[in-house]
């Protein structure tokens, strides 16, 4: 069974939290690095992190890591990867670059060299080349440079994992889903929820904190809501394995939802309440949280709320005021 080197990318300041999450998910050889966390494991581990991580943005599977003696070697390094094992010429690809490389001033240079190498290799082996599709490619290739170190990886996640799939646009300044999850973990919500506490957000906006809180408390894998992942277009994708992980997550969801306590979201804006309800439904949690139009001054716990957590992402400063999104100032 193959052993892979993975890298889960994380938003700034969330490396420690992601490290702890990966430990809880049973990953091994975990170490925090620039912009994320490395770990090793089987394909199942990479899939599991895609499905269960509440913090990561992306999960990358390293294909090649090398020290370059100059920018010319980017092409050779990429050409040495057996791309015919990863995609067919009928598929589309996108190449993305992060970091910086000695002697490379134009980031697009690395992207083009890797893309050329992939296409040349497939032309040599299969007579045809794949096309580029930057919006929705079948396979996303991630290139990372750090001085003279080059890592070429497959992006298993596809769209960033913070995009769970329950949210629609419509309200200004929502928290990203993984930031909301991080705030809840930092505030101790998983422990409070396990002890039967209530979650209350008095300025809930589009409902992100409440919905992430519900997903966490009900043991629901955030990836269960997504319809696509990057690995689904990969030639080595193991659909049987993926379906097994999904079934396991659905079983946990079914059991977890029964244990869900009270979650309340208030907002002065009727549109925000409407949007929160819609997002709750889209998250498959209709009826699992209560959203109500209520001014902050009237915010109070419900009659049966004994203990719990109040968490709020208030409107603040120039950003909101200049956008004029909040009805009552805040
Ligand atoms: C930054 S947004 C919250 C975004 C939310 N965390 C999300 O992810 O969608 C702040 C919210 O506070 C609400 N708000 C402002 N003043 C309020 C007040 N006096 N009482 C209740 N809600 C208020 C606004 O309507 C807005 O939806």
């Amino acid at each position: 069974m193959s052993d892979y080197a993975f890298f889960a990318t994380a938003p700034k300041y969330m490396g420690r939290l992601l490290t702890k999450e990966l430990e809880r998910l049973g990953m091994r050889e975990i170490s925090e690095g620039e912009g994320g966390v490395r770990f090793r494991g089987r394909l199942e581990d990479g899939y599991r992190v895609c499905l269960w991580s509440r913090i990561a943005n992306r999960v990358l599977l390293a294909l090649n890591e090398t020290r370059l003696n100059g920018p010319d070697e980017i092409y050779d390094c990429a050409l040495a990867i057996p791309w015919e094992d990863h995609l067919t010429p009928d598929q589309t690809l996108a190449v993305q670059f992060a970091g910086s490389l000695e002697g490379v001033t134009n980031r697009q240079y690395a992207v083009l060299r890797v893309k050329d190498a992939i296409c040349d290799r497939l032309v040599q082996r299969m007579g045809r080349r794949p096309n580029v599709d930057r919006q929705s490619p079948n396979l996303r290739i991630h290139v990372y440079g750090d001085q003279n170190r080059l890592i070429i990886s497959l992006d298993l996640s596809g769209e960033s994992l913070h995009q769970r799939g329950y949210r629609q646009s419509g309200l200004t300044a929502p928290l990203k889903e993984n930031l909301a999850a991080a705030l809840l973990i930092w505030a101790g919500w998983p422990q409070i929820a396990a002890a039967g506490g209530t979650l209350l957000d008095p300025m809930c906006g589009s409902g992100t904190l409440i919905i992430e809180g519900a997903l966490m408390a009900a043991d629901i894998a955030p990836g269960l809501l997504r319809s696509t992942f990057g690995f689904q277009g990969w030639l080595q994708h193991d659909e049987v394995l993926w379906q097994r992980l999904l079934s396991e997550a659905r079983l946990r969801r079914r059991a977890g939802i029964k244990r869900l306590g009270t979650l309340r979201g208030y907002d002065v804006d009727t549109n925000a309440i409407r949007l929160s309800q819609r997002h709750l439904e889209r998250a498959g949690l209709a009826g699992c949280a209560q959203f109500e139009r209520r001014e902050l001054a009237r915010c109070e716990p419900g009659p049966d709320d004994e203990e719990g957590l109040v968490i709020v992402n208030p409107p603040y400063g120039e950003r909101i005021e200049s956008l004029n999104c909040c009805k009552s100032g805040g």
Side-chain angles (χ1 to χ4, degrees):
M1 200 160 288
S2 300
D3 178 64
Y4 297 100
F6 296 104
F7 188 76
T9 68
K12 225 173 177 182
Y13 310 119
M14 290 196 211
R16 291 270 316 262
L17 208 59
L18 179 56
T19 300
K20 290 216 162 95
E21 184 183 59
L22 294 178
E23 283 167 6
R24 277 198 303 277
L25 289 173
M27 301 303 123
R28 55 184 178 79
E29 294 181 55
I30 302 170
S31 63
E32 200 178 325
E34 175 80 30
V37 182
R38 282 181 223 97
F39 62 100
R40 294 195 72 89
R42 299 160 302 161
L43 187 58
E44 174 171 346
D45 296 312
Y47 281 7
R48 193 174 285 282
V49 175
C50 284
L51 183 58
W52 280 96
S53 177
R54 302 185 194 276
I55 305 298
N57 279 329
R58 298 188 174 281
V59 179
L60 309 173
L61 182 158
L63 298 176
N64 191 337
E65 172 164 1
T66 199
R67 297 266 170 201
L68 303 175
N69 290 310
D72 287 349
E73 288 188 9
I74 297 173
Y75 178 86
D76 304 328
C77 174
L79 193 69
I81 295 171
W83 293 106
E84 61 280 8
D85 296 343
H86 300 294
L87 82 162
T88 72
D90 298 320
Q91 291 182 296
T92 55
L93 78 149
V95 182
Q96 189 192 24
F97 179 78
S100 60
L101 277 170
E102 272 171 15
V104 177
T105 46
N106 183 349
R107 299 161 68 85
Q108 234 6 60
Y109 177 78
V111 169
L112 286 176
R113 295 312 282 152
V114 172
K115 192 262 298 166
D116 287 348
I118 298 172
C119 292
D120 290 351
R121 172 130 187 165
L122 287 187
V123 169
Q124 283 163 16
R125 308 272 161 151
M126 310 183 82
R128 280 175 306 124
R129 51 156 287 174
N131 285 325
V132 170
D133 179 348
R134 286 191 193 83
Q135 299 311 318
S136 53
N138 297 118
L139 203 66
R140 287 174 198 263
I141 315 298
H142 190 277
V143 183
Y144 174 72
D146 176 19
Q147 299 187 2
N148 68 349
R149 193 161 64 102
L150 182 79
I151 306 177
I152 301 178
S153 308
L154 288 181
D155 182 346
L156 295 184
S157 28
E159 295 292 326
S160 176
L161 294 173
H162 82 269
Q163 295 173 29
R164 318 280 201 232
Y166 62 78
R167 227 161 59 177
Q168 296 171 314
S169 58
L171 200 79
T172 319
L175 283 176
K176 280 193 175 159
E177 295 88 326
N178 55 350
L179 176 57
L183 293 171
L184 286 159
I185 296 170
W186 273 319
W189 169 241
Q191 296 76 13
I192 296 169
T198 294
L199 184 66
L200 171 58
D201 179 353
M203 295 171 141
C204 67
S206 59
T208 319
L209 282 162
I210 292 295
I211 294 169
E212 288 298 317
L215 294 175
M216 227 175 258
D219 194 26
I220 299 175
L224 258 188
L225 303 168
R226 280 168 64 109
S227 52
T228 50
F229 286 86
F231 52 72
Q232 285 163 326
W234 179 36
L235 275 185
Q236 294 177 43
H237 168 52
D238 185 340
E239 183 62 20
V240 173
L241 167 62
W242 179 236
Q243 287 303 326
R244 178 163 65 72
L245 293 183
L246 287 178
S247 303
E248 177 195 299
R250 287 190 193 111
L251 276 180
R252 283 174 62 170
R253 179 185 188 282
R254 212 169 301 148
I257 249 175
K258 293 186 190 137
R259 300 192 298 267
L260 200 53
T262 308
L263 300 109
R264 301 181 196 283
Y266 302 140
D267 201 288
V268 73
D269 183 349
T270 314
N271 287 330
I273 295 303
R274 224 176 276 137
L275 198 58
S276 295
Q277 293 284 13
R278 200 176 317 139
H279 289 170
L280 189 71
E281 279 163 30
R282 285 170 60 91
L285 291 167
C288 292
Q290 298 156 34
F291 289 109
E292 188 186 317
R293 188 191 168 278
R294 200 185 270 217
E295 165 66 37
L296 181 64
R298 285 187 46 244
C299 169
E300 56 187 27
D304 300 325
D305 299 341
E306 287 182 2
E307 301 215 345
L309 175 71
V310 177
I311 190 161
V312 60
N313 164 221
Y316 58 94
E318 268 181 28
R319 183 168 64 109
I320 296 285
E321 279 162 21
S322 63
L323 292 168
N324 195 25
C325 94
C326 292
K327 305 286 176 277
S328 67

